[in-house]
């Protein structure tokens, strides 16, 4: 199967620090791939490069046949890429439904004219987005929260809502940055089923995660980073038993 995302020899430095050093990897369409490693390994920096928040110093990134190195950050949603962040970034003063509607804005076809004068076309699009947002919430069991303000919701619900909002633009590739961070064991178990459901919907998923049980349970493939470099890669079982990985997580130098 052809990779939907291909990264070749990507490097990124901040001053004299090489945060990402000659990273190459491939993500197959329809797979769940985890990117793991100790804090400071360069995982989030690589995510930021993939999604356009940083530009690589060197190397190439190709997503679904498109070279993304020089894209503007707002163009990533339009080509089919969406992400979440380590820290929850929902709009706390808005309702759950309004948060999901906000996820459509990056792919809305409304013109500046229709927005300025609130034309019939603009009103029709708003109604369509509201209906689609409601359908997404119902599909993932969040229909009962639609009118709740996000600031009143438990942390675990806010984390899941952020994923639903990212789905509003119907991404081909969904990147999740530590989706289980701050969740208790029951919430993490629920998240496993949740992410598997996203794969069943046809989404390709890449996640950064420190919850090793979650990683080993749901991943089709795992990449391990350390000190900005790719330490090893393989199936969950291959990574779990790799001596280098065991040293990184359990060895004396840590």
């Amino acid at each position: 199967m052809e990779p939907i995302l291909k990264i070749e020899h990507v490097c990124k430095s901040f001053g004299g620090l090489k945060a990402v050093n000659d990273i190459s990897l491939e993500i197959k369409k329809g797979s769940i791939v985890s990117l793991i490693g100790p804090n400071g390994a360069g995982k989030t920096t690589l995510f930021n490069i993939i999604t356009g928040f940083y530009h690589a110093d060197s190397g190439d990134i190709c997503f679904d046949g498109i070279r993304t190195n020089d894209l503007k950050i707002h163009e990533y949603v339009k080509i089919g890429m969406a992400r979440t962040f380590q820290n929850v970034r929902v709009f706390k003063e808005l309702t759950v439904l309004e948060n999901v509607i906000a996820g459509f804005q990056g792919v809305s076809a409304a013109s500046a004219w229709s927005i300025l004068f609130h034309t019939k076309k603009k009103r029709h699009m708003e109604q369509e987005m509201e209906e689609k947002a409601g359908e997404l919430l119902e599909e993932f069991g969040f229909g009962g929260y639609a009118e709740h303000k996000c600031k009143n919701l438990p942390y675990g619900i806010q984390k899941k809502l952020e994923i639903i909002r990212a789905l509003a633009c119907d991404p081909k590739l969904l990147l999740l940055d530590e989706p289980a961070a701050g969740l208790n064991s029951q919430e993490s178990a629920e998240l496993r089923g949740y992410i598997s459901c996203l794969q069943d919907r046809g989404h390709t998923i890449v996640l950064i995660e420190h919850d090793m049980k979650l990683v080993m349970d749901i991943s089709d493939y795992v990449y391990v980073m350390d000190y900005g470099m790719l330490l090893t890669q393989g199936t969950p079982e291959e990574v779990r038993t790799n001596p280098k990985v065991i040293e990184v997580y359990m060895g004396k130098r840590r």
Side-chain angles (χ1 to χ4, degrees):
M1 184 182 297
E2 285 295 313
I4 191 171
L5 178 69
K6 189 172 184 178
I7 297 171
E8 295 182 300
H9 305 295
V10 164
C11 296
K12 179 67 179 179
S13 295
F14 298 99
L17 174 66
K18 285 191 174 182
V20 173
N21 188 5
D22 196 28
I23 294 290
S24 297
L25 55 84
E26 294 184 356
I27 309 296
K28 292 183 179 179
K29 186 176 181 180
S31 64
I32 297 177
V33 176
S34 290
L35 183 62
I36 67 171
N39 289 328
K43 305 181 298 296
T44 295
T45 299
L46 182 59
F47 252 41
N48 287 335
I49 294 169
I50 293 170
T51 53
F53 285 81
Y54 297 153
H55 285 296
D57 297 332
S58 60
D60 279 303
I61 302 173
C62 186
F63 172 66
D64 202 25
I66 301 170
R67 187 176 183 271
T68 65
N69 292 53
D70 301 318
L71 290 182
K72 301 291 191 297
I73 194 166
H74 66 273
E75 295 177 310
Y76 283 79
V77 173
K78 293 182 178 180
I79 65 172
M81 196 183 296
R83 69 168 293 179
T84 63
F85 295 84
Q86 286 182 15
N87 300 315
V88 172
R89 295 194 180 186
V90 297
F91 302 111
K92 294 186 181 294
E93 293 300 325
L94 299 183
T95 66
V96 167
L97 181 64
E98 289 167 339
N99 265 271
V100 179
I101 290 173
F104 288 100
Q105 299 306 313
V107 291
S108 172
S111 65
W113 177 273
S114 65
I115 292 172
L116 183 61
F117 292 100
H118 203 62
T119 63
K120 184 178 180 180
K121 178 182 178 181
K122 173 66 163 46
R123 292 193 297 273
H124 175 72
M125 289 183 65
E126 286 176 343
Q127 182 180 356
E128 192 176 71
M129 286 190 290
E130 184 172 338
E131 290 174 356
K132 287 182 177 178
E135 290 170 2
L136 262 178
L137 289 173
E138 289 291 342
E139 181 179 353
F140 288 95
F142 273 59
Y145 292 101
E147 300 304 323
H148 289 229
K149 279 200 172 183
C150 288
K151 67 180 181 180
N152 299 325
L153 296 176
Y155 181 79
I157 297 294
Q158 291 185 31
K159 292 279 282 188
K160 292 177 183 176
L161 172 60
E162 201 171 29
I163 297 174
I164 295 175
R165 185 177 62 189
L167 293 175
C169 62
D170 195 26
K172 301 171 189 174
L173 177 65
L174 181 61
L175 299 104
L176 308 176
D177 194 348
E178 298 192 28
L183 303 186
N184 59 39
S185 56
Q186 180 180 342
E187 290 169 332
S188 293
E190 292 171 355
L191 183 66
R192 285 196 288 276
Y194 201 69
I195 294 175
S196 295
C197 181
L198 299 180
Q199 185 182 36
D200 293 340
R201 286 175 103 252
H203 300 287
T204 305
I205 300 157
V206 181
L207 65 150
I208 295 172
E209 190 50 67
H210 289 288
D211 183 335
M212 288 300 102
K213 179 169 175 51
L214 174 64
V215 167
M216 296 303 164
D217 283 352
I218 67 171
S219 302
D220 297 308
Y221 205 75
V222 180
Y223 287 94
V224 186
M225 288 183 67
D226 192 28
Y227 293 118
M229 296 181 288
L230 191 61
L231 180 69
T232 190
Q233 60 183 286
T235 65
E237 185 58 33
E238 289 169 341
V239 167
R240 189 201 321 262
T241 57
N242 187 298
K244 293 180 181 178
V245 177
I246 294 171
E247 180 185 353
V248 163
Y249 279 96
M250 303 296 290
K252 290 181 180 179
R253 73 185 181 87
R254 288 290 174 192

